[in-house]
Amino acid sequence: MALPAPLHGVIPPVCTPLDACGEVDTGSLARLVDHLLDGGVHGLFALGSTSEAAYLTDRQRAVALETVVTAARGRVPVLAGVIDTTTARVLDHAKAAARLGADALVATAPFYTRTHPREIAAHFRHLRTATGLPLVAYDIPAAVHNKLTPALVRELAADGTLAGLKDSSGDDGSLRRLLVSLGGRTARPSGPAPGFAVLTGSELTADAALLAGADGVVPGLGNVDPAGYVRLYDAARAGDWPRAAAEQERLVALFAMTDAGPESEMGRSSSALGAFKAALQLLGVIEGRATALPQVPLSEEAVAEVGRRLKDASLAAGRPAP
Amino acid sequence: MALPAPLHGVIPPVCTPLDACGEVDTGSLARLVDHLLDGGVHGLFALGSTSEAAYLTDRQRAVALETVVTAARGRVPVLAGVIDTTTARVLDHAKAAARLGADALVATAPFYTRTHPREIAAHFRHLRTATGLPLVAYDIPAAVHNKLTPALVRELAADGTLAGLKDSSGDDGSLRRLLVSLGGRTARPSGPAPGFAVLTGSELTADAALLAGADGVVPGLGNVDPAGYVRLYDAARAGDWPRAAAEQERLVALFAMTDAGPESEMGRSSSALGAFKAALQLLGVIEGRATALPQVPLSEEAVAEVGRRLKDASLAAGRPAP
Amino acid sequence: MALPAPLHGVIPPVCTPLDACGEVDTGSLARLVDHLLDGGVHGLFALGSTSEAAYLTDRQRAVALETVVTAARGRVPVLAGVIDTTTARVLDHAKAAARLGADALVATAPFYTRTHPREIAAHFRHLRTATGLPLVAYDIPAAVHNKLTPALVRELAADGTLAGLKDSSGDDGSLRRLLVSLGGRTARPSGPAPGFAVLTGSELTADAALLAGADGVVPGLGNVDPAGYVRLYDAARAGDWPRAAAEQERLVALFAMTDAGPESEMGRSSSALGAFKAALQLLGVIEGRATALPQVPLSEEAVAEVGRRLKDASLAAGRPAP
Amino acid sequence: MALPAPLHGVIPPVCTPLDACGEVDTGSLARLVDHLLDGGVHGLFALGSTSEAAYLTDRQRAVALETVVTAARGRVPVLAGVIDTTTARVLDHAKAAARLGADALVATAPFYTRTHPREIAAHFRHLRTATGLPLVAYDIPAAVHNKLTPALVRELAADGTLAGLKDSSGDDGSLRRLLVSLGGRTARPSGPAPGFAVLTGSELTADAALLAGADGVVPGLGNVDPAGYVRLYDAARAGDWPRAAAEQERLVALFAMTDAGPESEMGRSSSALGAFKAALQLLGVIEGRATALPQVPLSEEAVAEVGRRLKDASLAAGRPAP
């Protein structure tokens, strides 16, 4: 399906449920897609960092993407992460994503290798030229150890290389500079890149990003509470900022579930991804909460803490998954 | 004077004008204080990073602080930075600041040395015990290479060690977590630390911080346009978020002056501090735009660029300083 | 072939020559393998960082590894890099490498994701269990943004998980601590991990690593001057440290070729890999000097500088490649 | 006294013993100086990082330096650290150091502020011009978060700004590039900066640095075992590299004392400085092992571990200090 221009709304990075053998649990994944669409989300981002894309084999990535596309049934656009180190490897993922029905691609700057702004620009331009799908830049310095500058993103937006940005940098000042350089919250439609979508991956400051003029939000926590983020988004669109902020506060409190796994025992990916999956299991959406190797699983104690966070945020635990 | 509880409003970190010999230009500094108070600011932060505190000798720091205190004439509280590597050295600055009439102290975590969260907590507790003045923690990882966690700040707020936080981390998600843990935007007065002040140093996202419930803003750019930040603050207090955001956008555009000095030629401190001082000179507030050694001065070309930014932001250049 | 225990000597990470279409130039690669074996090297490391493994598709990786294995004709062991983000993805590469005849695997810690020492240990243990080949840990914090601690490596060496370490951390103090913990330069054969190989990737301090008791060196610059590193190694083995150091100094001077591409224009990978390939082209070993996308190619001026470095190091330019 | 050209040998950074009130214990410090000179050291470095300079007030720094100068009685040169954020503040320390009889100054790049290579060069040039004493650059990125490049050091060596370098970067590859650019291990006396001293602060790879042509070593651990480092140095000067390496290995094992304080409980400064002081107390050299605020003190258990390391390294515990 064609993307709306600009792409907007709540577009969660879809978790990838795994079965006891570590394979993609397609039944749970399809239920998760329904859970998200029932919550009112505007798009789906498969194979993102929250989807454990960096942990899945190419075969597993294909299964996950195909499952999401199929389950979405064309109701919302499906973005596909094409996360790999450099251009040629990313292109292999891009071809697979196009074949499997993705509506847009989401690519990071090169990583593992020591790169340079000129090479980052060349990377996105090559990707754009070699694929037929809209391209969203994924700014995630915690993973790739480079920050996309506002100036570079503006340039690639203005020349049509990029259809959007998913900003997971946590640097809201930089995001604001980009938005202002594109025309600001009211004048962007007549700015240098009218259809360019600015999406924040900062699930803790979505209200702020929307106040600043962002088009949407890509919240990992949106797996657990999609309806909450949709309410936040709707309040913002309606100009009811106190209500948007109140919803954001409830979600910030809920986000504390990601601390359930202690830093002394596991990586931050394990604790956050483990918490999202434990919550989805407690809510009856997915069957198991396994995360991919080599992540440390959450303890029973940590899972209980996740449950308390759900309850505090007024999210009733659902029936056990079939 | 006693601090309001919580401390709030626009509290710019006051630039320290220097004369041709590199000494504090007290006349210019007194005029700058008047310029800020004329703009409606609610407090003054002397000897912060923007004040070039890290570049001033102890003698120069004393002259600068005394000048600010004197020029303020008790109209607003004066906070004094006590920036140094570790506890005993900071205490020497704290004694000087108390003697010179500061109303509160602003201290960072230890730096230069490799430290630890337990040591950072001990540092603030020692400072609090050994001084009679309210203590504000200065979270500035770009300078000290440590981030104060929301959990630590909450603990030190709740036990009375800290009277406030100046958050210059640029990590607005972390700031939001702190604010929520203190009760959130409406319930903070009945939360664990009712009079605790949360101030953002992120001059590009002040509207967002205020929407999130912050009490005030400490904007380096506020030296140049104090009235703009006061308008932003007033709009936020009045709940007029679109107006607050519009004012923020104008200030974000103005902030581009800090890029006038190219990264290939000078440090980011030089370009930002040089731009603020050049703007103040162009506005007729201070006499010279010299920055302290070993900073690279802005070129004439860069100063012209600063002038253009002032004009774009509708800030009329004033008369030359006497 | 079975690895010597411990693996030792000069084991260069083999560059991957590319043709004008960006595909592996197998003819040039085979000639490069002969060039290295003519220089007297003791092993070959295919698909390492210097091999541009992070830039090659899976198909290209297979072609490159197969070419190296075939060209080596069993004369020396061939190690294969299995560079990818996490366990399952690395295992896919490991299976391919085993099928193509690699004698050992070289794997990094997880990257892209935020990991933890426990997860790094689990990663290597899973890899060891799931593959039949000896496993060498590749410590390269510049790429993966984690340092393998001496304590962790010692543990994984002692329990048989690892057959060796390629230390590209540049942290020679940490390397020394590891070597001492394994028994030191004379007592390692009777230490906790007698056959464990310690290899340095620090091509600028190979003499020092050998003096400290390392078993070998994996020098990127060894592509250009394999005989130089073999002379260095032989001098060290013979206890002629002044001669080893003199050879090292010549190679340090030669290494300056990696600065030919200016930092303002390209990443450090581009300049180093571009210089090695330009040198190999000038020496008549490989046909073209193209590097993979999105790397910036060296300018003609930079290539001339590489040529001067070759001459200064008494490396005669060979005949043009056929 | 005039410095030898180049400065050379073992020049430990002298610990600063503190009494129960946190003041400099001058009696213990004088005994420590004698302990070092009895061990055969060639110089003393007061007010370095290991001296807790970053923790001492200006008054305490003066007491410490004066005590070291007096106790040295002109037997060896005394270098004084002038550690502070930027030029003017460093100059204040430089004046004090000159007045108190230091023979040379040791200064870092600017810190706390975001700086630039041009500003770092200007910093050292200003310091050199404004003081009459030889100036040694202190490259310590772990503290100042900037690395001095070999090219910059070579430039400042060749133009006479710097009399030497203390390299505490741990980047031995970079150190080697500097040494080669200055002429290498044999040709430095006829190179671009004949009297320039290259000193390594890497106490774990002193043998390697000396093999590479360094003039000396500034080992924190040299407080505990000065005679060991002198034996290492003498063996290196005599060309007996196996003996130098064996001595280095013993010292590497001894260095494990710095891990006695666990990372989960304290900063790395606390554990290392605490261990050195505990060892000196156990050896009967200094009276108390207190470290400055806000460092976490070593537990009794950790001190016992330090004692075991001393014993393993054949360092007999001395009589209790008087």
Side-chain angles (χ1 to χ4, degrees), chain B residues 161-213:
Chain B
T161 301
L162 296 179
L165 171 75
K166 173 190 186 311
D167 178 7
S168 295
S169 72
D171 183 345
D172 286 356
S174 174
L175 181 67
R176 194 59 170 273
R177 295 196 76 178
L178 172 67
L179 284 162
V180 169
S181 79
L182 292 171
R185 57 201 302 273
T186 54
R188 272 176 56 213
S190 57
F196 183 79
V198 178
L199 310 170
T200 181
S202 293
E203 58 223 309
L204 301 172
T205 59
D207 56 346
L210 294 168
L211 177 62

Short mmCIF file of all heavy atoms in Angstrom, two decimals, chain B residues 161-213:
data_model
loop_
_atom_site.label_atom_id
_atom_site.label_comp_id
_atom_site.label_asym_id
_atom_site.label_seq_id
_atom_site.Cartn_x
_atom_site.Cartn_y
_atom_site.Cartn_z
N THR B 161 18.94 16.55 50.65
CA THR B 161 20.29 16.95 50.24
C THR B 161 20.23 18.03 49.16
O THR B 161 20.97 19.02 49.22
CB THR B 161 21.07 15.73 49.71
OG1 THR B 161 21.13 14.74 50.75
CG2 THR B 161 22.46 16.11 49.25
N LEU B 162 19.36 17.82 48.21
CA LEU B 162 19.30 18.74 47.07
C LEU B 162 18.03 19.60 47.12
O LEU B 162 16.94 19.10 47.45
CB LEU B 162 19.30 17.95 45.76
CG LEU B 162 20.55 17.14 45.44
CD1 LEU B 162 20.36 16.40 44.11
CD2 LEU B 162 21.78 18.04 45.37
N ALA B 163 18.19 20.87 46.78
CA ALA B 163 17.04 21.77 46.64
C ALA B 163 16.56 21.82 45.20
O ALA B 163 15.50 22.38 44.91
CB ALA B 163 17.43 23.17 47.10
N GLY B 164 17.36 21.28 44.30
CA GLY B 164 16.95 21.32 42.91
C GLY B 164 17.94 20.63 42.00
O GLY B 164 19.00 20.18 42.44
N LEU B 165 17.56 20.56 40.74
CA LEU B 165 18.39 19.97 39.69
C LEU B 165 18.41 20.91 38.50
O LEU B 165 17.36 21.41 38.08
CB LEU B 165 17.79 18.63 39.24
CG LEU B 165 18.43 18.00 37.99
CD1 LEU B 165 19.78 17.39 38.33
CD2 LEU B 165 17.51 16.94 37.38
N LYS B 166 19.60 21.15 37.98
CA LYS B 166 19.72 21.78 36.67
C LYS B 166 20.14 20.67 35.72
O LYS B 166 21.25 20.15 35.81
CB LYS B 166 20.78 22.89 36.70
CG LYS B 166 21.08 23.46 35.31
CD LYS B 166 22.29 24.36 35.32
CE LYS B 166 22.52 25.07 33.99
NZ LYS B 166 22.48 24.24 32.80
N ASP B 167 19.25 20.30 34.84
CA ASP B 167 19.48 19.16 33.95
C ASP B 167 19.99 19.64 32.59
O ASP B 167 19.21 20.08 31.75
CB ASP B 167 18.18 18.37 33.78
CG ASP B 167 18.37 17.20 32.81
OD1 ASP B 167 19.50 16.94 32.39
OD2 ASP B 167 17.36 16.55 32.48
N SER B 168 21.28 19.54 32.41
CA SER B 168 21.88 19.89 31.12
C SER B 168 22.34 18.64 30.40
O SER B 168 23.28 18.67 29.61
CB SER B 168 23.06 20.84 31.33
OG SER B 168 22.61 22.07 31.85
N SER B 169 21.67 17.54 30.66
CA SER B 169 22.08 16.27 30.06
C SER B 169 21.58 16.13 28.63
O SER B 169 22.09 15.32 27.86
CB SER B 169 21.57 15.10 30.88
OG SER B 169 20.16 14.96 30.74
N GLY B 170 20.52 16.87 28.29
CA GLY B 170 19.92 16.69 26.98
C GLY B 170 19.10 15.41 26.89
O GLY B 170 18.56 15.10 25.82
N ASP B 171 19.01 14.68 27.98
CA ASP B 171 18.28 13.41 27.99
C ASP B 171 16.89 13.66 28.58
O ASP B 171 16.64 13.46 29.76
CB ASP B 171 19.07 12.39 28.81
CG ASP B 171 18.43 11.01 28.81
OD1 ASP B 171 17.24 10.89 28.43
OD2 ASP B 171 19.12 10.05 29.20
N ASP B 172 15.98 14.08 27.71
CA ASP B 172 14.65 14.49 28.19
C ASP B 172 13.81 13.31 28.66
O ASP B 172 12.88 13.48 29.46
CB ASP B 172 13.91 15.29 27.11
CG ASP B 172 14.50 16.69 26.95
OD1 ASP B 172 15.42 17.06 27.72
OD2 ASP B 172 14.04 17.44 26.06
N GLY B 173 14.13 12.11 28.17
CA GLY B 173 13.43 10.93 28.66
C GLY B 173 13.77 10.67 30.12
O GLY B 173 12.89 10.37 30.94
N SER B 174 15.02 10.81 30.43
CA SER B 174 15.46 10.63 31.81
C SER B 174 14.84 11.72 32.71
O SER B 174 14.39 11.44 33.83
CB SER B 174 16.99 10.71 31.85
OG SER B 174 17.47 10.69 33.15
N LEU B 175 14.80 12.94 32.21
CA LEU B 175 14.18 14.03 32.97
C LEU B 175 12.71 13.71 33.24
O LEU B 175 12.20 13.95 34.35
CB LEU B 175 14.28 15.33 32.17
CG LEU B 175 13.71 16.58 32.82
CD1 LEU B 175 14.53 16.97 34.04
CD2 LEU B 175 13.68 17.75 31.84
N ARG B 176 12.04 13.16 32.24
CA ARG B 176 10.63 12.83 32.43
C ARG B 176 10.44 11.76 33.49
O ARG B 176 9.51 11.83 34.31
CB ARG B 176 10.03 12.36 31.09
CG ARG B 176 8.51 12.31 31.08
CD ARG B 176 7.95 13.70 31.38
NE ARG B 176 6.53 13.84 31.17
CZ ARG B 176 5.94 14.15 30.01
NH1 ARG B 176 6.66 14.33 28.92
NH2 ARG B 176 4.63 14.29 29.95
N ARG B 177 11.33 10.79 33.47
CA ARG B 177 11.23 9.74 34.50
C ARG B 177 11.39 10.33 35.90
O ARG B 177 10.71 9.94 36.84
CB ARG B 177 12.29 8.66 34.27
CG ARG B 177 12.08 7.90 32.95
CD ARG B 177 12.85 6.62 32.91
NE ARG B 177 12.19 5.61 33.73
CZ ARG B 177 12.60 4.37 33.88
NH1 ARG B 177 13.69 3.96 33.26
NH2 ARG B 177 11.95 3.52 34.64
N LEU B 178 12.33 11.26 36.04
CA LEU B 178 12.50 11.92 37.34
C LEU B 178 11.23 12.65 37.75
O LEU B 178 10.74 12.50 38.88
CB LEU B 178 13.67 12.92 37.27
CG LEU B 178 13.81 13.79 38.52
CD1 LEU B 178 14.21 12.94 39.72
CD2 LEU B 178 14.83 14.90 38.29
N LEU B 179 10.70 13.44 36.82
CA LEU B 179 9.50 14.24 37.16
C LEU B 179 8.34 13.33 37.56
O LEU B 179 7.63 13.62 38.53
CB LEU B 179 9.12 15.12 35.96
CG LEU B 179 10.02 16.35 35.78
CD1 LEU B 179 9.87 16.92 34.37
CD2 LEU B 179 9.68 17.43 36.81
N VAL B 180 8.17 12.24 36.84
CA VAL B 180 7.07 11.32 37.19
C VAL B 180 7.33 10.68 38.55
O VAL B 180 6.41 10.55 39.38
CB VAL B 180 6.90 10.26 36.08
CG1 VAL B 180 5.96 9.14 36.52
CG2 VAL B 180 6.35 10.92 34.80
N SER B 181 8.59 10.36 38.83
CA SER B 181 8.88 9.72 40.12
C SER B 181 8.68 10.68 41.29
O SER B 181 8.52 10.27 42.43
CB SER B 181 10.31 9.16 40.13
OG SER B 181 11.24 10.19 40.36
N LEU B 182 8.70 11.97 40.99
CA LEU B 182 8.47 12.99 42.04
C LEU B 182 6.98 13.34 42.15
O LEU B 182 6.61 14.22 42.93
CB LEU B 182 9.28 14.25 41.73
CG LEU B 182 10.80 14.11 41.84
CD1 LEU B 182 11.50 15.36 41.30
CD2 LEU B 182 11.23 13.85 43.28
N GLY B 183 6.15 12.69 41.36
CA GLY B 183 4.71 12.91 41.49
C GLY B 183 4.05 13.35 40.20
O GLY B 183 2.83 13.34 40.07
N GLY B 184 4.87 13.77 39.24
CA GLY B 184 4.30 14.20 37.97
C GLY B 184 3.88 15.65 37.99
O GLY B 184 3.99 16.34 39.01
N ARG B 185 3.39 16.10 36.85
CA ARG B 185 3.16 17.54 36.64
C ARG B 185 2.13 18.16 37.58
O ARG B 185 2.21 19.34 37.89
CB ARG B 185 2.80 17.83 35.19
CG ARG B 185 1.60 17.09 34.67
CD ARG B 185 1.64 17.03 33.15
NE ARG B 185 1.69 18.33 32.53
CZ ARG B 185 0.62 19.07 32.24
NH1 ARG B 185 -0.60 18.67 32.57
NH2 ARG B 185 0.74 20.23 31.64
N THR B 186 1.20 17.40 38.09
CA THR B 186 0.22 18.02 38.99
C THR B 186 0.43 17.61 40.44
O THR B 186 0.16 18.39 41.35
CB THR B 186 -1.22 17.64 38.56
OG1 THR B 186 -1.31 16.21 38.49
CG2 THR B 186 -1.54 18.22 37.20
N ALA B 187 0.95 16.40 40.67
CA ALA B 187 1.00 15.88 42.04
C ALA B 187 2.34 16.10 42.73
O ALA B 187 2.53 15.63 43.85
CB ALA B 187 0.64 14.40 42.04
N ARG B 188 3.28 16.83 42.11
CA ARG B 188 4.58 17.02 42.76
C ARG B 188 4.47 17.72 44.11
O ARG B 188 5.21 17.34 45.03
CB ARG B 188 5.55 17.73 41.83
CG ARG B 188 6.31 16.71 40.95
CD ARG B 188 7.21 17.37 39.96
NE ARG B 188 8.15 18.25 40.63
CZ ARG B 188 8.63 19.37 40.13
NH1 ARG B 188 8.26 19.74 38.91
NH2 ARG B 188 9.47 20.11 40.81
N PRO B 189 3.63 18.70 44.29
CA PRO B 189 3.56 19.36 45.60
C PRO B 189 3.22 18.40 46.74
O PRO B 189 3.54 18.66 47.90
CB PRO B 189 2.47 20.42 45.41
CG PRO B 189 2.46 20.69 43.94
CD PRO B 189 2.79 19.38 43.28
N SER B 190 2.56 17.31 46.44
CA SER B 190 2.28 16.33 47.49
C SER B 190 3.15 15.09 47.33
O SER B 190 2.88 14.04 47.91
CB SER B 190 0.80 15.95 47.46
OG SER B 190 0.46 15.45 46.17
N GLY B 191 4.21 15.20 46.54
CA GLY B 191 5.10 14.06 46.29
C GLY B 191 6.19 13.98 47.35
O GLY B 191 6.14 14.67 48.37
N PRO B 192 7.20 13.18 47.07
CA PRO B 192 8.24 12.94 48.08
C PRO B 192 9.15 14.14 48.33
O PRO B 192 9.86 14.15 49.34
CB PRO B 192 9.03 11.77 47.50
CG PRO B 192 8.75 11.79 46.03
CD PRO B 192 7.38 12.36 45.87
N ALA B 193 9.16 15.13 47.44
CA ALA B 193 10.09 16.27 47.61
C ALA B 193 9.40 17.54 47.11
O ALA B 193 9.72 18.05 46.03
CB ALA B 193 11.38 16.01 46.83
N PRO B 194 8.44 18.04 47.89
CA PRO B 194 7.55 19.09 47.41
C PRO B 194 8.23 20.37 46.92
O PRO B 194 7.83 20.94 45.90
CB PRO B 194 6.68 19.40 48.63
CG PRO B 194 6.81 18.22 49.53
CD PRO B 194 8.16 17.64 49.27
N GLY B 195 9.29 20.81 47.61
CA GLY B 195 9.89 22.09 47.21
C GLY B 195 11.04 21.94 46.26
O GLY B 195 11.71 22.92 45.91
N PHE B 196 11.29 20.74 45.80
CA PHE B 196 12.43 20.46 44.94
C PHE B 196 12.20 21.05 43.55
O PHE B 196 11.15 20.84 42.94
CB PHE B 196 12.63 18.95 44.85
CG PHE B 196 13.82 18.53 44.03
CD1 PHE B 196 15.10 18.58 44.57
CD2 PHE B 196 13.67 18.08 42.73
CE1 PHE B 196 16.20 18.19 43.82
CE2 PHE B 196 14.76 17.68 41.97
CZ PHE B 196 16.03 17.74 42.52
N ALA B 197 13.20 21.78 43.05
CA ALA B 197 13.08 22.45 41.76
C ALA B 197 13.73 21.65 40.65
O ALA B 197 14.88 21.25 40.77
CB ALA B 197 13.74 23.83 41.83
N VAL B 198 12.98 21.44 39.60
CA VAL B 198 13.54 20.79 38.41
C VAL B 198 13.66 21.83 37.31
O VAL B 198 12.66 22.38 36.84
CB VAL B 198 12.66 19.61 37.95
CG1 VAL B 198 13.23 18.98 36.68
CG2 VAL B 198 12.54 18.57 39.06
N LEU B 199 14.90 22.10 36.94
CA LEU B 199 15.20 23.11 35.93
C LEU B 199 15.89 22.45 34.76
O LEU B 199 16.80 21.64 34.94
CB LEU B 199 16.13 24.17 36.53
CG LEU B 199 15.71 24.75 37.88
CD1 LEU B 199 16.83 25.60 38.47
CD2 LEU B 199 14.43 25.57 37.74
N THR B 200 15.48 22.77 33.56
CA THR B 200 16.17 22.22 32.41
C THR B 200 17.18 23.22 31.87
O THR B 200 16.91 24.42 31.81
CB THR B 200 15.20 21.83 31.28
OG1 THR B 200 15.97 21.29 30.20
CG2 THR B 200 14.41 23.02 30.75
N GLY B 201 18.32 22.69 31.49
CA GLY B 201 19.33 23.51 30.83
C GLY B 201 19.25 23.36 29.32
O GLY B 201 20.07 23.91 28.60
N SER B 202 18.25 22.60 28.85
CA SER B 202 18.12 22.36 27.42
C SER B 202 17.34 23.48 26.77
O SER B 202 16.11 23.47 26.71
CB SER B 202 17.43 21.01 27.17
OG SER B 202 18.25 19.96 27.60
N GLU B 203 18.04 24.45 26.26
CA GLU B 203 17.39 25.66 25.75
C GLU B 203 16.57 25.41 24.49
O GLU B 203 15.80 26.27 24.09
CB GLU B 203 18.43 26.74 25.50
CG GLU B 203 19.51 26.37 24.53
CD GLU B 203 20.87 26.82 25.04
OE1 GLU B 203 21.03 28.00 25.40
OE2 GLU B 203 21.77 25.98 25.08
N LEU B 204 16.74 24.22 23.89
CA LEU B 204 16.02 23.91 22.65
C LEU B 204 14.69 23.21 22.91
O LEU B 204 13.88 23.06 21.99
CB LEU B 204 16.89 23.04 21.75
CG LEU B 204 18.24 23.64 21.35
CD1 LEU B 204 19.08 22.62 20.62
CD2 LEU B 204 18.03 24.87 20.48
N THR B 205 14.47 22.75 24.13
CA THR B 205 13.25 22.00 24.44
C THR B 205 12.62 22.49 25.74
O THR B 205 12.06 21.71 26.51
CB THR B 205 13.54 20.49 24.54
OG1 THR B 205 14.52 20.28 25.57
CG2 THR B 205 14.05 19.90 23.23
N ALA B 206 12.70 23.78 25.98
CA ALA B 206 12.16 24.33 27.23
C ALA B 206 10.65 24.15 27.29
O ALA B 206 10.09 23.85 28.35
CB ALA B 206 12.53 25.82 27.33
N ASP B 207 9.98 24.32 26.16
CA ASP B 207 8.52 24.14 26.18
C ASP B 207 8.15 22.71 26.59
O ASP B 207 7.24 22.48 27.40
CB ASP B 207 7.89 24.51 24.82
CG ASP B 207 8.48 23.76 23.64
OD1 ASP B 207 9.56 23.13 23.78
OD2 ASP B 207 7.86 23.79 22.55
N ALA B 208 8.90 21.76 26.06
CA ALA B 208 8.64 20.36 26.39
C ALA B 208 8.87 20.10 27.87
O ALA B 208 8.09 19.40 28.53
CB ALA B 208 9.54 19.45 25.56
N ALA B 209 9.94 20.66 28.41
CA ALA B 209 10.25 20.44 29.83
C ALA B 209 9.16 21.04 30.70
O ALA B 209 8.76 20.45 31.72
CB ALA B 209 11.61 21.03 30.17
N LEU B 210 8.67 22.19 30.32
CA LEU B 210 7.61 22.83 31.10
C LEU B 210 6.31 22.04 30.98
O LEU B 210 5.58 21.86 31.97
CB LEU B 210 7.43 24.28 30.66
CG LEU B 210 8.65 25.19 30.95
CD1 LEU B 210 8.53 26.52 30.22
CD2 LEU B 210 8.82 25.42 32.45
N LEU B 211 6.03 21.54 29.79
CA LEU B 211 4.85 20.68 29.63
C LEU B 211 4.96 19.44 30.53
O LEU B 211 3.97 18.97 31.10
CB LEU B 211 4.69 20.25 28.16
CG LEU B 211 3.55 19.28 27.84
CD1 LEU B 211 2.19 19.88 28.18
CD2 LEU B 211 3.58 18.86 26.36
N ALA B 212 6.19 18.96 30.67
CA ALA B 212 6.41 17.77 31.50
C ALA B 212 6.37 18.09 32.99
O ALA B 212 6.42 17.19 33.81
CB ALA B 212 7.75 17.14 31.15
N GLY B 213 6.31 19.38 33.31
CA GLY B 213 6.20 19.74 34.72
C GLY B 213 7.44 20.36 35.33
O GLY B 213 7.49 20.57 36.55
#
